[in-house]
């Protein structure tokens, strides 16, 4: 599944800082762009998602920025907290509900 | 969102045996999926569980190794057959209410093969 490239692989941020995770894709048929959050021992949980008709979506401290022409979308976590420490996956989806998971980003927020 | 229960949550099995993993959802869903996740790695789709018909398998996964059942809109099973140490992984069930809707995941089954 080389259609999705996620970066960075790991990220360490101070409490209160901004965490930024990027996802680049190749398939122009993707029409749904979610980010999933996974804690150890748990399944991935939908965090925030965007459709391609908007360029940005904000939910609390979490924002998705979407650049259709560049085929990229990113997750911004404002005022990062230790409780945000988890693994984050981008998983763009095409019709038929087929997700293409990125390689994951391990985020550590230092108190 | 859906409440998804997977059983067992973990197991340790002997080489050559088979294990059936159950996925129960608290409401009817259109689509059910099975994934595999190696510790610290991303998720790989095994198959889409289709109600009343054979599952649709992804490249690299075959029915003889991973038979799947889906008798109704709230339940599915995945069997890992003739297990080897390479099958040690986390197996996750996910569901979607309809096409175009996000998937929701169970907490997975952690399987170790000795």
């Amino acid at each position: 599944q080389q259609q999705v490239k996620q970066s960075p692989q790991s990220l360490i941020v101070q409490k209160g800082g901004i965490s930024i995770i990027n996802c680049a894709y190749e398939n122009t048929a993707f029409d749904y762009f979610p980010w999933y959050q996974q804690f150890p021992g748990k399944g991935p949980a939908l965090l925030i998602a965007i459709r391609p008709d908007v360029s940005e979506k904000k939910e609390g401290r979490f924002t998705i920025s979407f650049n259709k022409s560049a085929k990229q979308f990113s997750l911004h976590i404002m005022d990062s907290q230790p409780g945000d420490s988890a693994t984050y996956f981008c998983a763009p989806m095409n019709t038929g509900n087929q997700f293409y998971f990125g390689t994951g980003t391990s985020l550590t927020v230092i108190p | 969102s859906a409440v998804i229960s997977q059983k067992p949550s973990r197991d340790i099995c002997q080489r050559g045996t088979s294990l059936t993993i159950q996925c129960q959802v608290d409401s009817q869903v259109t689509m059910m999926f099975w994934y595999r996740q190696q510790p610290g790695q991303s998720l790989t789709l095994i198959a889409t569980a289709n109600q009343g018909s054979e599952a649709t398998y992804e490249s690299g996964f075959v029915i003889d190794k991973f038979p799947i059942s889906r008798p109704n809109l709230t339940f599915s099973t995945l069997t890992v057959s003739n297990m080897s140490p390479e099958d040690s992984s986390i197996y996750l069930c996910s569901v979607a209410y309809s096409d175009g809707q996000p998937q929701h995941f169970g907490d997975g089954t952690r399987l170790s093969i000795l």
Side-chain angles (χ1 to χ4, degrees), chain A residues 4 23 25 30 32-34 73 90-94 98-102:
Chain A
V4 179
C23 189
Y25 63 94
F30 290 145
Y32 182 71
F33 300 88
F73 63 110
C90 63
M93 185 185 80
N94 58 12
Q98 184 149 25
F99 281 80
Y100 291 81
F101 278 85

Side-chain angles (χ1 to χ4, degrees), chain B residues 92-103:
Chain B
L92 293 149
C93 169
S94 77
V95 305
Y97 284 103
S98 62
D99 191 5
Q101 295 299 309
Q103 292 183 25

Side-chain angles (χ1 to χ4, degrees), chain B residues 19-61:
Chain B
L19 178 74
T20 296
I21 302 168
Q22 298 180 358
C23 179
Q24 178 74 56
V25 193
D26 67 340
S27 57
Q28 293 185 346
V29 293
T30 300
M31 310 182 81
M32 297 183 77
F33 306 88
W34 288 98
Y35 287 82
R36 184 169 71 182
Q37 184 179 29
Q38 303 284 358
Q41 303 295 316
S42 188
L43 285 76
T44 300
L45 180 64
I46 298 172
T48 301
N50 302 308
Q51 190 210 356
S53 64
E54 192 172 284
T56 304
Y57 290 85
E58 297 299 305
S59 176
F61 298 96

Side-chain angles (χ1 to χ4, degrees), chain A residues 24-98:
Chain A
Y25 63 94
E26 299 174 1
N27 189 343
T28 56
F30 290 145
D31 59 4
Y32 182 71
F33 300 88
W35 286 94
Y36 281 82
Q37 179 188 55
Q38 186 177 30
F39 293 104
K42 298 293 186 180
L46 180 65
L47 181 63
I48 187 171
I50 198 169
R51 300 279 180 185
D53 53 341
V54 297
S55 60
E56 185 174 283
K57 181 177 181 180
K58 183 176 181 180
E59 292 183 354
R61 297 185 293 110
F62 302 93
T63 300
I64 291 184
S65 296
F66 179 70
N67 187 330
K68 188 174 181 178
S69 61
K71 293 187 286 185
Q72 295 179 349
F73 63 110
S74 60
L75 174 68
H76 297 237
I77 305 174
M78 311 300 289
D79 187 27
S80 298
Q81 299 297 312
D84 297 330
S85 297
T87 300
Y88 293 82
F89 294 95
C90 63
M93 185 185 80
N94 58 12
T95 56
N97 267 79
Q98 184 149 25

Side-chain angles (χ1 to χ4, degrees), chain B residues 5 9 11 17 19 28 35 40 53 55 71 88 91 99 109:
Chain B
S5 301
S9 59
D11 208 339
T17 62
L19 178 74
Q28 293 185 346
Y35 287 82
S53 64
S88 297
Y91 292 86
D99 191 5
T109 295

